[in-house]
Amino acid sequence: MVKPVVEKPLRPEPICDPSDGELRVSWAHYHRLIEHLALQLLHSGHSFDQVVALSRGGLRVGDTLSRLFKRPLVIMAASSYGGGNGRAQEELRIGNQLAHTCEALGPKLLLVDDLVDSGDTLHASRHWLQETLQPELIKTAVLWLKTSSRIKPDFWAMELPGNPWVVQPFERWEHLHPSQLQPLPEGSGDAK
């Protein structure tokens, strides 16, 4: 008799935000979500050799998890959003190589991104890694899971049943040109 595979519930469990329209995220909340995700990974019992971060959205998530778990960071380029306001989903493009300083990759990888919207980017990236590297294991983790996604990652910090547009704290720079920035005032170079 074959025993059914029973998945352990995520601990701590993902939190739920019923927002629709837009969900504006502060830096403090963004960092707490990464920490919540890190706790899920820690308590899962899964280990990984490298953190593969999807650029651009997964870079900060991957960097933080890489530092917390003391694992090398690997960068994988992927792009699917564009248009005038950066909110139009366009053709998915995935880079054909990875940026890293490891002698070898794997055999256990953690693939991270900021969110799963349609699921296309995470699915295609995972497939590319599997076909190219043939690792023993690939686990996936994101901060936000939209319930409209066709796939579900292994780990997610927050579930979004209302499928809002997530306005992340760094998005303000997408609407600025360097000429619009203000220099620091004299004497503000001291780190406090």
Side-chain angles (χ1 to χ4, degrees), residues 6 8 23-24 37 41 44 51 59 69 73 78 82 85 87 114 119 125 132 137 140 144 154 160 168 170 184:
V6 178
K8 286 189 341 185
L23 173 63
R24 294 194 168 272
L37 187 61
L41 292 163
S44 73
V51 176
L59 287 176
F69 287 96
L73 180 63
N85 62 3
R87 294 186 178 191
D114 55 350
S125 301
T132 306
L137 179 73
T140 56
W144 296 283
D154 298 299
L160 302 172
Q168 299 184 49
F170 47 82
L184 287 172

Side-chain angles (χ1 to χ4, degrees), residues 181-192:
L181 303 175
Q182 298 297 316
L184 287 172
E186 189 67 34
S188 61
D190 295 332
K192 295 183 180 176

Side-chain angles (χ1 to χ4, degrees), residues 30 53-64 73 75 112-113:
Y30 181 81
L54 287 170
S55 72
R56 291 185 312 185
L59 287 176
R60 289 169 183 85
V61 179
D63 176 65
T64 304
L73 180 63
I75 308 299
V112 301
D113 203 357

Side-chain angles (χ1 to χ4, degrees), residues 82-177:
N85 62 3
R87 294 186 178 191
Q89 195 149 26
E90 299 177 341
E91 181 182 351
L92 174 62
R93 292 179 312 229
I94 294 178
N96 60 4
Q97 55 189 335
L98 302 170
H100 63 88
T101 58
C102 307
E103 288 187 26
L105 293 178
K108 297 177 182 178
L109 303 175
L110 175 65
L111 175 62
V112 301
D113 203 357
D114 55 350
L115 62 88
V116 174
D117 194 345
S118 67
D120 293 346
T121 302
L122 196 64
H123 174 77
S125 301
R126 188 182 191 291
H127 178 77
W128 187 91
L129 287 169
Q130 190 65 53
E131 292 295 312
T132 306
L133 302 176
Q134 299 177 349
E136 175 184 309
L137 179 73
I138 302 175
K139 289 292 182 181
T140 56
V142 300
L143 296 182
W144 296 283
L145 167 63
K146 292 188 179 185
T147 54
S148 60
S149 175
R150 291 185 288 279
I151 68 162
K152 189 180 269 189
D154 298 299
F155 304 93
W156 65 97
M158 179 181 280
E159 193 161 324
L160 302 172
N163 300 308
W165 181 264
V166 180
V167 182
Q168 299 184 49
F170 47 82
E171 286 186 37
R172 66 180 285 262
W173 291 298
E174 293 180 11
H175 307 288
L176 290 175
H177 185 270

Side-chain angles (χ1 to χ4, degrees), residues 60-80:
R60 289 169 183 85
V61 179
D63 176 65
T64 304
L65 294 175
S66 167
R67 291 170 190 272
L68 286 169
F69 287 96
K70 314 294 188 264
R71 295 290 183 260
L73 180 63
V74 177
I75 308 299
M76 182 176 189
S79 176
S80 65

